Amino acid sequence: MTTTIGRGAAATADYLDQRTSVSVAIKGLARKVFPDHWSFLLGEIALYSFVVLLISGVFLTMFYVPSMNEVHYEGPWAAMNGVEMSEAFASTLRLSFEVRGGLLMRQIHHWAALIFMASIVTHMMRVFFTGAFRKPRELNWVLGFTLLILGLLAGFSGYSLPDDVLSGNGLRIADGVVRSIPILGSYISYFIFGGEFPGQDLIPRLFTVHILLVPALILALIGAHLFLVFLHKHTQYPGSGRTNKNVVGYPLWPVYVAKAGGFFFIVFGVIALLGATMTINPVWNYGPFDPSPVSAGAQPDWYMLFLEGALRLMPGQGMEWGIGEFTLSLNVLIPAVIVPGILFTLLAGYPFVEAFVTGDKGEHHVLDRPRNRPFRTAFGMAILTAFTILILAGSNDLIAAHFFLSLNDIIRVFRVLFFVAPVLVFIITKRICLGLQRKDRELVLHGHETGRIVRFAHGEYIEVHKPLDAHERWLRVGYQAERPLEIEPPVDSRGVRRKGYRVDQVRQRLSRVFFEDRVEPVTPSELAAAHSHGAHDTLEAGHSAPVRELEGTATGGGRTLVEPVDGSAPDARNR
């Protein structure tokens, strides 16, 4: 029986539908098909972490005071009683010790920020290594990269709001980085801090950036990102029956709605568990910001460690040059601006470089297996290696203390590794990818090894191979191997220099770098030849008993394994 509430809800829904036609959009969205793979959840983790950030951030905003006015603390944390500090730091202590649930919400907010950045990075890695950035998703890659940069800005601005010693040292470093920019640096610093560092305006400005400007931009970009995902349809991993013209998966309603709802509470529960059990950023141990003390072991959150590591690795002596009235601080400019700028530019621009090199104009909705794109996979691993070295270098003092090593030796080793390790990782990764491709060819041509050795009646030994089924075979042969470009001659038939030849030359050289080393997938003719049973594979009647095929055809070295008709098993000692 329909209840009064049910009838009221139905009437309300009908009223809204007649005036908005929202049911048409909901019906279309509900039938949207999404593929099913665990790696697609990485983007959802980022989205749900951001929702947790918004919820916890609203709570914190109600009690935090974004002011640098000086006060004397009087509260439950006895060690700080009578200490002069900013209202921002005092309100942070009040949140931690006097507001019910305040410390839990602070820690949930901080852990959610760490997981938000981690999920963005891993999601971008999945997109990069599988080629999900190819046409028509180049714009979505740029949006994702911009979200990464905004996430860094949101994390740094929020990390600096408590106005404690640790965050103050980070702001001092940021001021030095900004001032290292030639000509404009001092003006930008004056604009950010409202005068000389630290000034009285920084915390209010950071607060506005952290709770208003950056979240609004992130929300807008997330909306655009999701809109493009729905517009282009979701990518899917390669397999039989999956093409650029279909999507194999489940509809949004009710399957993915239920999954997404449940997964949100899982993510929220994990973040809440981390916030409740693992202390993070205990500002009461650091004290209010004072530019004089700098303790060992001070470091920012993990996603900013690459910048800290670059600064620690850069030599300082002889790296400051005076040019007229300006001082060029290369010891800060190179590690904090140029090196990260190069790494991020390579990461952001790679999809467009690859599209330029291949000249591919088609749409791609089926993902690549990383092994089938050796250069891209090796390049991505090299970039990750460079960032990893910088992250480790940002903790060089902790590494030295925990492993009883010389800090100077660690710095020297990391300086060498920053230039050598990415090259070695590139070469090794590329070799691994090519080796895996050759293994795929071997599997397609000869099947899986079973470890069974069989002796024929005429005395020959052969290993039993299990052939691949159609799904396995398609996975290993169903891709297009890119080849170096072949360009037209520099002059046409009339001897006139061809327009665009120089650009074609650049593309050709780059394509050789990208695709010179490759392994072609098995062709149908190669597969037919490998599984043929011609004169070379036929057992001579004069040297063997009558034979029959084993249950299920099994290939071995291009042969069909056979046994004597009388059913006698091969010599068990030779298996």
Side-chain angles (χ1 to χ4, degrees):
M1 178 180 289
T2 305
T3 64
T4 303
I5 297 177
R7 288 194 298 270
T12 303
D14 182 65
Y15 178 87
L16 293 175
D17 182 49
Q18 290 185 25
R19 288 155 179 81
T20 62
S21 300
V22 69
S23 63
V24 177
I26 293 177
K27 185 177 181 180
L29 290 177
R31 293 180 177 178
K32 188 75 173 179
V33 177
F34 286 88
D36 192 20
H37 195 273
W38 67 266
S39 66
F40 297 144
L41 299 178
L42 295 171
E44 293 186 27
I45 294 175
L47 176 61
Y48 301 153
S49 300
F50 184 68
V51 172
V52 175
L53 282 169
L54 293 179
I55 296 172
S56 57
V58 170
F59 178 90
L60 297 177
T61 304
M62 295 178 181
F63 302 96
Y64 176 76
V65 180
S67 172
M68 299 185 73
N69 294 331
E70 296 294 327
V71 298
H72 288 83
Y73 177 75
E74 297 293 338
W77 189 251
M80 290 289 173
N81 280 335
V83 175
E84 189 177 21
M85 61 184 64
S86 66
E87 286 191 85
F89 188 77
S91 65
T92 304
L93 293 181
R94 191 180 308 113
L95 254 171
S96 302
F97 299 115
E98 300 179 57
V99 177
R100 180 169 295 182
L103 180 58
L104 176 62
M105 296 303 289
R106 272 195 64 230
Q107 301 210 145
I108 286 177
H109 192 74
H110 204 133
W111 278 112
L114 298 182
I115 294 176
F116 175 65
M117 291 304 303
S119 54
I120 286 180
V121 171
T122 50
H123 177 62
M124 289 191 68
M125 289 168 56
R126 197 274 302 174
V127 171
F128 181 87
F129 288 117
T130 59
F133 53 74
R134 294 172 297 171
K135 185 181 178 181
R137 296 177 179 83
E138 302 96 333
L139 180 58
N140 231 358
W141 171 262
V142 174
L143 290 178
F145 177 80
T146 307
L147 281 171
L148 174 65
I149 302 301
L150 288 175
L152 294 176
L153 179 58
F156 181 75
S157 60
Y159 180 81
S160 304
L161 287 178
D163 198 31
D164 59 296
V165 168
L166 194 59
S167 64
N169 289 332
L171 287 171
R172 194 67 182 94
I173 293 173
D175 179 50
V177 171
V178 170
R179 286 177 175 273
S180 70
I181 300 174
I183 302 176
L184 299 177
S186 58
Y187 300 102
I188 297 175
S189 174
Y190 188 89
F191 171 77
I192 293 174
F193 295 97
E196 292 294 327
F197 176 88
Q200 293 294 316
D201 301 328
L202 179 60
I203 293 298
R205 291 180 179 184
L206 283 177
F207 185 70
T208 303
V209 168
H210 184 69
I211 73 162
L212 181 61
L213 179 61
V214 175
L217 292 174
I218 291 178
L219 275 174
L221 291 182
I222 287 177
H225 186 76
L226 294 177
F227 171 76
L228 291 177
V229 169
F230 276 87
L231 180 66
H232 296 146
K233 75 184 180 183
H234 208 293
T235 55
Q236 56 187 339
Y237 282 91
S240 56
R242 300 175 181 180
T243 69
N244 288 321
K245 298 181 179 180
N246 68 358
V247 178
V248 179
Y250 300 97
L252 181 65
W253 177 269
V255 177
Y256 273 100
V257 170
K259 282 187 174 183
F263 192 54
F264 168 76
F265 289 106
I266 292 175
V267 173
F268 185 87
V270 170
I271 294 174
L273 182 64
L274 290 172
T277 59
M278 298 185 183
T279 301
I280 188 169
N281 199 25
V283 295
W284 52 88
N285 288 337
Y286 308 145
F289 174 63
D290 184 344
S292 57
V294 178
S295 61
Q299 58 184 33
D301 287 332
W302 73 267
Y303 49 83
M304 295 300 296
L305 268 177
F306 73 92
L307 185 62
E308 178 82 8
L311 289 168
R312 294 188 184 192
L313 291 185
M314 186 68 187
Q317 187 174 4
M319 299 302 294
E320 289 190 352
W321 297 351
I323 303 177
E325 298 180 355
F326 298 95
T327 299
L328 187 61
S329 301
L330 295 179
N331 54 342
V332 179
L333 181 66
I334 291 176
V337 179
I338 296 178
V339 170
I342 292 174
L343 293 177
F344 279 119
T345 300
L346 290 174
L347 187 62
Y350 180 87
F352 304 96
V353 174
E354 184 175 293
F356 171 76
V357 171
T358 60
D360 188 3
K361 303 297 183 181
E363 292 191 359
H364 298 275
H365 304 291
V366 178
L367 301 174
D368 289 326
R369 299 176 79 200
R371 67 181 64 182
N372 294 335
R373 294 292 181 262
F375 181 88
R376 180 203 298 157
T377 304
F379 180 82
M381 287 301 300
I383 295 293
L384 282 177
T385 301
F387 274 110
T388 302
I389 297 297
L390 295 180
I391 289 173
L392 292 175
S395 303
N396 56 3
D397 53 342
L398 296 179
I399 295 174
H402 283 81
F403 294 97
F404 306 101
L405 300 173
S406 168
L407 180 63
N408 292 330
D409 290 342
I410 292 175
I411 292 175
R412 294 188 189 99
V413 169
F414 280 143
R415 284 174 179 171
V416 174
L417 286 178
F418 179 74
F419 295 99
V420 175
V423 177
L424 292 178
V425 168
F426 179 90
I427 296 172
I428 293 171
T429 303
K430 192 173 182 180
R431 292 296 104 192
I432 290 175
C433 290
L434 294 172
L436 290 173
Q437 285 184 277
R438 294 188 183 97
K439 178 63 176 178
D440 283 346
R441 283 185 59 89
E442 182 71 17
L443 284 174
V444 171
L445 293 175
H446 304 297
H448 293 288
E449 296 180 359
T450 63
R452 292 182 58 222
I453 306 298
V454 177
R455 188 180 69 174
F456 285 88
H458 64 280
E460 180 184 5
Y461 291 90
I462 191 172
E463 181 186 10
V464 179
H465 282 208
K466 179 183 177 182
L468 277 64
D469 59 31
H471 299 283
E472 290 181 292
R473 187 180 301 118
W474 177 261
L475 180 64
R476 289 166 172 81
V477 302
Y479 70 95
Q480 180 66 40
E482 298 286 349
R483 299 176 177 85
L485 292 177
E486 296 183 4
I487 62 176
E488 298 179 3
V491 295
D492 58 22
S493 58
R494 296 174 297 177
V496 179
R497 186 172 183 82
R498 184 170 58 85
K499 185 178 180 180
Y501 175 70
R502 292 181 180 273
V503 176
D504 288 348
Q505 270 190 317
V506 173
R507 289 181 59 196
Q508 185 183 48
R509 290 168 183 169
L510 286 174
S511 69
R512 287 174 180 171
V513 174
F514 275 58
F515 307 119
E516 189 73 42
D517 297 328
R518 68 189 186 281
V519 176
E520 298 286 348
V522 176
T523 62
S525 59
E526 289 177 319
L527 186 62
H531 292 178
S532 66
H533 309 295
H536 177 72
D537 295 326
T538 303
L539 297 175
E540 296 180 15
H543 297 283
S544 62
V547 295
R548 64 177 175 82
E549 292 188 7
L550 283 175
E551 180 181 355
T553 303
T555 60
R559 305 165 186 249
T560 299
L561 179 64
V562 292
E563 288 184 333
V565 173
D566 60 7
S568 59
D571 191 343
R573 295 171 299 174
N574 298 316
R575 291 191 178 183

